[in-house]
């Protein structure tokens, strides 16, 4: 009931054009070298934004700052118009981050890893996990210890999290590095699907992204 | 009926903090069980260190009785140091720590879960083995229960304080002795009170104050140490 009311209310109208994530005047310096300064950008629902830049231009640093893992910056970051420090829990509930280190424990199996990482955010069933693993091309690998998988397969285990999470904002740091051609296709499809469902993606990659949806680019080389 | 279920989906499916706590505890125990070496190391170390004293100091029962309390306590302390690194190290290296920090759940409970799991794996076995080593060290029979109780109150504190040290140093490349330098001084009060209680028990002196002090230290560290660890972890991943 409240939903249908909200859909037509002016509040919802303004919410529709409000950016999910907005960064204002971000400044970051590392080892006396300015990585970026006065960086402003907005990320809207339905968008995939590719963060570009040469090695050492601060792509990873930017993503970590936006997630709140790195606090060595100046400027402001807003989630749905609210400073992320004011509503940290709400922001984290809508965020899914996969970094360079993909967060897959090698001693555990794929299922055990996913069960834990999901438990931090959303309850999932074993069937959900199986389906997600099938989607990322790991059918039959649910109970294989991750140490016995290749780097690309471990990466795929971490990508299965994308399918298990209700998070609106995906922040992915070099998710394509170890994937094969088929894996790249799967991930590109996932990104487009997520954007299509009203989510947003922030991704760094040197790979030429081919997604059938809105793709914006943020180039850090022009900053700082 | 929601046609566009996106916002609903976002808020509906939240996990309770308790479920996340349980999942973290379960995960850490599972990892420990799969790494049998880590499970046995502290215990073997405890056994070996204590058995060095009769060989190195004296095998005279009277002499051993005198040093028994201190020996067992110091060995328990060293054994707990040995396994501390397991707390956050692997998680830091494989990125799981970042996932933990980005969980919407209060970090306090997640760190507490890791601490409890660490204690169950490295502290509890030491407590259970201690009467055997006390027997070996000719500790008077009256003091056995005191030893077990003080270790039961004291070893969780060693895990909790140790976690702060590990959280602070987990991001450093070469740590060497720095962990021991940070953690050991913090554990001095527990060591002093614990060993004194056992020594007093073998003399038949009242023990109420020792238990009260250890209990107070445990209560304080249970409520504050995970907060300190959580803050230290945030700094370490920065």
């Amino acid at each position: 009931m409240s939903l249908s009311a909200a859909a037509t209310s002016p509040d919802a109208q303004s919410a529709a054009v409000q950016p999910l994530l907005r960064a204002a005047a971000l400044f970051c310096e590392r080892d006396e070298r300015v990585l970026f300064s006065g960086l402003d950008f907005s990320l809207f629902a339905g968008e995939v934004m590719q963060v570009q830049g040469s090695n050492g231009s601060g792509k990873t640093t930017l993503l970590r700052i936006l997630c709140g893992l790195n606090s060595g910056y100046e400027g402001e970051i807003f989630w749905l118009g609210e400073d992320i420090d004011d509503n940290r829990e709400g922001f984290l509930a809508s965020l899914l981050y996969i970094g360079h280190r993909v967060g897959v424990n090698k001693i555990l199996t794929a299922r055990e890893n996913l069960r834990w990482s999901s438990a931090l955010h959303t309850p999932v069933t074993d069937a959900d996990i199986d389906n997600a693993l099938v989607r990322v091309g790991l059918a039959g690998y649910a109970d294989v210890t991750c140490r016995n998988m290749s780097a690309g397969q471990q990466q795929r285990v971490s990508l299965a999290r994308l399918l298990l999470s209700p998070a609106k904002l995906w922040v992915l740091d070099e998710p394509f590095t170890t994937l094969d051609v088929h894996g790249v296709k799967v991930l590109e499809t996932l990104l487009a699907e997520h954007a299509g469902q009203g989510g947003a993606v922030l991704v760094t990659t040197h790979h030429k992204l081919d997604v059938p949806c809105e793709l914006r680019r943020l180039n850090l080389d022009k900053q700082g | 009926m929601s046609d566009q279920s996106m916002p609903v989906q976002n808020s509906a499916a939240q996990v309770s903090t308790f479920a996340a706590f349980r999942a973290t505890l379960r995960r850490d125990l599972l990892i420990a069980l799969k790494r049998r070496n880590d499970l046995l190391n502290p215990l073997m170390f405890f056994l070996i260190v204590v058995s060095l004293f009769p060989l190195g100091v004296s095998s005279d029962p009277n002499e051993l009785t005198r040093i028994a309390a201190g020996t067992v306590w110091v060995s328990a302390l060293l054994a707990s140091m040995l396994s501390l690194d397991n707390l956050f190290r692997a998680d830091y290296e494989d990125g799981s720590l970042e996932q933990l920090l980005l969980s919407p759940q209060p970090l306090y409970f997640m760190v507490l879960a890791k601490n409890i799991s660490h204690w169950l794996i490295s502290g509890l076995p030491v407590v259970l083995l201690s009467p055997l080593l006390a027997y070996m060290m000719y500790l008077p029979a009256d003091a056995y229960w005191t030893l077990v109780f003080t270790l039961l109150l004291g070893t969780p504190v060693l895990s909790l304080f140790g976690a702060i040290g590990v959280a602070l140093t987990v991001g450093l490349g070469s740590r060497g002795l720095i962990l021991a330098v940070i953690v050991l001084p913090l554990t001095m009060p527990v060591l002093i009170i614990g060993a004194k209680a056992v020594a007093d028990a073998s003399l038949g002196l009242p023990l109420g104050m020792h238990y009260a002090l250890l209990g107070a230290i445990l209560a304080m560290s249970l409520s504050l140490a995970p907060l300190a660890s959580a803050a230290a972890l945030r700094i370490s991943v920065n």
Side-chain angles (χ1 to χ4, degrees), chain A residues 152-173:
Chain A
Q153 285 175 318
Q154 289 177 17
Q155 181 110 357
R156 283 168 189 244
V157 172
S158 79
L159 294 177
R161 290 215 298 269
L162 301 174
L163 291 155
L164 295 169
S165 158
K168 259 188 174 180
L169 176 64
W170 292 358
V171 176
L172 311 176
D173 195 357

Side-chain angles (χ1 to χ4, degrees), chain A:
Chain A
M1 186 195 80
S2 59
L3 262 173
S4 54
T8 50
S9 75
D11 279 3
Q13 291 292 323
S14 66
V17 293
Q18 184 185 46
L20 290 179
L21 186 72
R22 186 164 73 82
L26 282 191
F27 169 85
C28 177
E29 189 185 53
R30 181 175 265 184
D31 300 332
E32 315 216 328
R33 204 164 53 81
V34 177
L35 288 177
F36 39 81
S37 74
L39 180 65
D40 295 290
F41 70 91
S42 298
L43 184 65
F44 292 88
E47 281 185 334
V48 174
M49 184 182 270
Q50 178 177 6
V51 181
Q52 292 176 311
S54 47
N55 296 135
S57 59
K59 300 187 292 296
T60 295
T61 307
L62 175 64
L63 294 197
R64 293 177 65 89
I65 285 173
L66 293 172
C67 293
L69 284 173
N70 187 333
S71 54
Y73 69 96
E74 286 164 34
E76 287 170 302
I77 303 163
F78 300 93
W79 172 252
L80 296 172
E82 222 178 339
D83 197 306
I84 57 166
D85 289 328
D86 293 343
N87 184 9
R88 188 125 190 90
E89 253 176 59
F91 173 60
L92 289 180
S94 329
L95 170 75
L96 180 68
Y97 168 79
I98 299 179
H100 271 282
R101 297 162 173 168
V102 291
V104 171
N105 185 297
K106 292 194 173 63
I107 293 168
L108 299 177
T109 65
R111 186 191 304 282
E112 287 158 354
N113 266 304
L114 291 172
R115 210 182 265 153
W116 175 69
S117 54
S118 301
L120 296 176
H121 298 269
T122 333
V124 295
T125 64
D126 273 6
D128 292 336
I129 292 177
D130 284 328
N131 291 339
L133 286 172
V134 170
R135 276 286 318 260
V136 296
L138 285 180
Y141 280 91
D143 298 308
V144 174
T145 306
C146 291
R147 188 188 304 158
N148 298 332
M149 295 184 184
S150 72
Q153 285 175 318
Q154 289 177 17
Q155 181 110 357
R156 283 168 189 244
V157 172
S158 79
L159 294 177
R161 290 215 298 269
L162 301 174
L163 291 155
L164 295 169
S165 158
K168 259 188 174 180
L169 176 64
W170 292 358
V171 176
L172 311 176
D173 195 357
E174 301 285 359
F176 291 97
T177 37
T178 54
L179 295 180
D180 58 17
V181 182
H182 173 251
V184 167
K185 266 267 146 338
V186 170
L187 180 53
E188 282 175 348
T189 314
L190 287 180
L191 298 187
E193 273 179 19
H194 183 62
Q197 288 163 4
V201 181
L202 208 62
V203 57
T204 66
T205 176
H206 296 288
H207 158 87
K208 196 173 172 307
L209 263 186
D210 177 23
V211 286
C213 66
E214 189 85 25
L215 175 65
R216 280 173 55 205
R217 295 201 166 83
L218 181 72
N219 198 328
L220 290 183
D221 287 339
K222 291 174 196 146
Q223 304 288 333

Side-chain angles (χ1 to χ4, degrees), chain A residues 3 64 67 69-71 89 92-93 97 101 103 105 107-108 112 116 119-123 161 166 168 197-198, chain B residues 2 6 8 10 13-15 23-24 27 30-31 34-35 92-95 98-100 102-104 237-238:
Chain A
L3 262 173
R64 293 177 65 89
C67 293
L69 284 173
N70 187 333
S71 54
E89 253 176 59
L92 289 180
Y97 168 79
R101 297 162 173 168
N105 185 297
I107 293 168
L108 299 177
E112 287 158 354
W116 175 69
L120 296 176
H121 298 269
T122 333
R161 290 215 298 269
K168 259 188 174 180
Q197 288 163 4
Chain B
S2 54
M6 201 187 60
V8 186
N10 218 3
Q14 279 296 322
V15 202
T24 305
R27 168 186 183 268
L30 196 60
I31 292 175
K34 290 192 177 195
R35 296 170 37 163
Y92 176 79
E93 276 162 8
D94 69 21
E98 286 167 353
Q99 297 301 324
L100 197 74
L102 291 177
S103 156
V237 299
N238 214 327

